[in-house]
Amino acid sequence: MRVLLSALRAFLFLWFMVLSLSAQALTPSEKAFLSARKALEEFSRSPKKQHYRRYWIRVINRFRRVYLRYPESPEAPKALIWAARLYRNLYGYSHLRRDLEEALRRYRMIWEHYPRSNLADDALFEAAEIYEKLLGDRVTAEYLRRLILKRYPSGDMAARIAPPKRSPPGKTPSKNTAPPDKASPPKETATVKRIRHWSGEDYSRVVVDLSSRVTFKDHALKAFAGRPPRVYVDLSPARLSPYLKPEIPIEDGLLTRVRVGQYRPGTVRVVLDLKSLTSYRVFYLGDPPRVVIDLLGESPPRSAPKKETEREIPLKPPSPNHYSLAQQLGLKIRRIVIDPGHGGHDPGALGLYGLKEKDITLRVSRYLAEELRRCLGCQVILTRDRDVFIPLLKRAAIANLKKADLFVSIHVNAAPNRRSRGIETYYLSFTTDPEAMRVAAMENAISRLSLSELQDLLKRILRNAKVEESRRLAEEIQRHLVKRLSRRYRGVRDLGVKKAPFVVLVGTRMPAVLVEISFITNPTEARRLRSEKYLREIARGIAEGIKAYVNEIQVARP
């Protein structure tokens, strides 16, 4: 018996030694991932906890910490896919669409940021299942499956997808890899769920929210036989939600009401009754699907600002050969709209030390408003002054409704590579730069698959946008912000002025830019972003850039 006890003690001692050594051999990322998996296993054994959202989020956050802290480790895509699956399963209890959107966002991060991971094709396949079975979007699901066959033809997910039908003899199979909007007409009948609007004296924006993609045709009609002028848009294939009101009274400067009805089977007609025929534009945005109708009136002449609020700025005489459009017209900057990115249930980028993009952008925007009021004496309006969610399309509408002279959107950058750092400023235009596309996809909260349809949209919009003025504003802000921070901090990297299709800038009627002030995922810059001093220096640098732009465009009058 003593021999057996001694042998058992020796065996247990050796076993604990092996466990200890194996634990010591684990990397920090492996330890963090195993800890998250352990939390998941404990959670899965408790059906009672699965009925409470807070327990789901606790486990999701365990995996979230893994890919935020160790974005370049092999465990990062593993943690992402488990977080995505948890959100997908949480939807079964919550029935909240936002949980599916959170799942899709994490799946997308895997195939975009970790395309060589053996989980990339799993992420595409599981995302396709969500689109088809839970969102009813077969077009996007089919596109993702074709992407699997193209990128990962030897993977295990490709084997689960039926091979495409062969083309008839004499025809070459299509190699179109365009987004769903361009690959084929929509097959799923969309539901018109809701109509939103923002209106003013000389500008109105109407947004038609849809359950899936549609095609549209727009028309304008002059006043006739006592009927007002109208703009109408036919959406197909589409049907009306039974909860949607057939008429929405508005009565603003341009628009009296919006009417909606089932024009014919498969076609919904949205009619805008106007006070007078005006210019308009219609465009489609995906992820989530929406049709946007902008009415553009002529701005009435502004009354002169009160003398006590007007402040003239000493001007350098511009070169007579380099007058911009604003200089030629003698424009003044009297009102600036500052847009703190994200907010409310949209935290934006999540970084080191528990930082959230939405909190940083709000603080910087408040400091920037103070600086602009002090150095320019102009009116400054924030799209949000507290932690609330504002849709991207509403932010541009606010700037238009307030008749802003400039629009500046403040954001914080993020990247899977923790060494990424620096400052960059964007204006609205086309781009083929992969990094600019990545940032636009992140800030638009849409996939890069949807960005190409946004590029097509810009072809129509940019004819009336102030692209050159926006570029000048971006250059001045970037130059002064980098210059100011470089005087006070080491290693400030100038990433330059870039162009990209940002939804928040679409439709603005004034020079508009988006500033990425630092990387929330870089250890050095994240530490600085915790400092109020650093945030104030950022605000001063942006304000100096805006002031330089104002000095450039304003023409001294005799």
Side-chain angles (χ1 to χ4, degrees), residues 14-193:
L14 289 171
W15 177 249
F16 283 121
M17 287 293 291
V18 169
L19 286 177
S20 177
L21 288 171
S22 62
Q24 290 175 8
L26 292 176
T27 63
S29 61
E30 289 171 334
K31 290 179 182 178
F33 181 73
L34 287 175
S35 175
R37 282 298 302 270
K38 184 179 179 181
L40 174 59
E41 289 168 8
E42 292 175 357
F43 174 65
S44 64
R45 289 194 294 266
S46 176
K48 184 177 178 181
K49 287 185 176 180
Q50 292 168 28
H51 289 278
Y52 295 92
R53 184 179 184 85
R54 65 180 181 274
Y55 293 112
W56 288 88
I57 300 302
R58 283 180 191 174
V59 180
I60 289 170
N61 285 338
R62 296 292 290 271
F63 287 105
R64 175 174 163 270
R65 283 194 286 270
V66 175
Y67 62 77
L68 286 178
R69 290 181 179 176
Y70 311 103
E72 297 177 67
S73 71
E75 285 67 44
K78 297 177 188 177
L80 277 167
I81 204 162
W82 277 110
R85 288 167 178 169
L86 281 163
Y87 268 118
R88 182 191 62 193
N89 292 339
L90 173 57
Y91 173 77
Y93 289 85
S94 69
H95 302 290
L96 296 174
R97 183 188 173 97
R98 73 169 186 263
D99 289 330
L100 288 183
E101 291 170 351
E102 290 293 339
L104 291 170
R105 190 161 74 91
R106 284 154 180 80
Y107 282 130
R108 189 180 305 127
M109 288 171 69
I110 297 171
W111 77 68
E112 288 188 349
H113 300 316
Y114 305 97
R116 296 184 180 179
S117 167
N118 59 3
L119 294 174
D121 59 337
D122 295 67
L124 282 162
F125 186 87
E126 292 176 24
E129 294 285 289
I130 289 178
Y131 275 112
E132 182 173 32
K133 295 179 179 179
L134 299 177
L135 296 177
D137 187 351
R138 294 179 182 175
V139 177
T140 302
E142 181 59 27
Y143 176 72
L144 294 178
R145 291 187 181 114
R146 283 191 278 113
L147 209 57
I148 293 172
L149 295 173
K150 180 185 176 184
R151 292 184 182 178
Y152 310 102
S154 303
D156 56 340
M157 292 299 114
R160 298 176 61 178
I161 301 172
K165 296 179 181 179
R166 293 184 179 179
S167 301
K171 291 190 177 181
T172 305
S174 172
K175 294 184 179 180
N176 185 10
T177 58
D181 192 49
K182 302 175 85 174
S184 61
K187 298 176 182 177
E188 188 75 16
T189 299
T191 300
V192 178
K193 302 188 298 182

Side-chain angles (χ1 to χ4, degrees), residues 249-441:
I250 294 177
E251 293 293 344
D252 63 18
L254 302 174
L255 185 59
T256 59
R257 62 179 176 171
V258 175
R259 294 178 286 125
V260 60
Q262 194 76 46
Y263 177 60
R264 60 167 64 101
T267 301
V268 169
R269 175 166 288 183
V270 180
V271 182
L272 280 64
D273 290 336
L274 310 178
K275 291 189 175 179
S276 61
L277 196 59
T278 184
S279 60
Y280 73 95
R281 59 189 172 211
V282 184
F283 54 90
Y284 170 82
L285 288 173
D287 234 356
R290 295 151 289 174
V291 169
V292 183
I293 309 166
D294 276 352
L295 299 176
L296 313 168
E298 293 297 325
S299 299
R302 289 181 179 165
S303 57
K306 296 178 181 179
K307 291 184 178 180
E308 59 266 22
T309 62
E310 184 173 351
R311 179 174 176 178
E312 292 295 333
I313 301 169
L315 306 173
K316 296 180 181 178
S319 167
N321 299 322
H322 294 87
Y323 284 119
S324 68
L325 175 64
Q327 287 173 316
Q328 295 169 35
L329 298 177
L331 300 182
K332 293 182 181 293
I333 303 299
R334 296 188 176 95
R335 184 175 298 131
I336 299 173
V337 168
I338 305 298
D339 173 46
H342 307 278
H345 65 74
D346 173 19
L350 302 172
L352 303 174
Y353 313 112
L355 292 173
K356 295 179 182 178
E357 182 179 4
K358 67 173 184 177
D359 300 329
I360 297 168
T361 58
L362 183 57
R363 293 209 298 271
V364 170
S365 297
R366 286 171 173 166
Y367 296 150
L368 177 56
E370 292 176 11
E371 290 293 326
L372 291 173
R373 292 182 185 115
R374 181 186 60 79
C375 70
L376 292 181
C378 61
Q379 182 184 7
V380 183
I381 298 167
L382 271 62
T383 57
R384 66 178 182 97
D385 58 4
R386 59 191 187 281
D387 186 18
V388 294
F389 175 74
I390 307 289
L392 292 177
L393 289 173
K394 184 176 180 180
R395 295 168 189 257
I398 290 171
N400 290 337
L401 292 171
K402 296 296 184 182
K403 302 184 182 67
D405 298 299
L406 299 177
F407 178 79
V408 181
S409 190
I410 307 297
H411 289 260
V412 186
N413 220 329
N417 188 341
R418 293 174 70 176
R419 290 191 293 270
S420 298
R421 60 187 174 86
I423 295 160
E424 54 194 4
T425 307
Y426 288 86
Y427 63 97
L428 183 68
S429 193
F430 311 102
T431 184
T432 56
D433 179 4
E435 180 61 17
M437 294 285 276
R438 181 192 69 78
V439 176

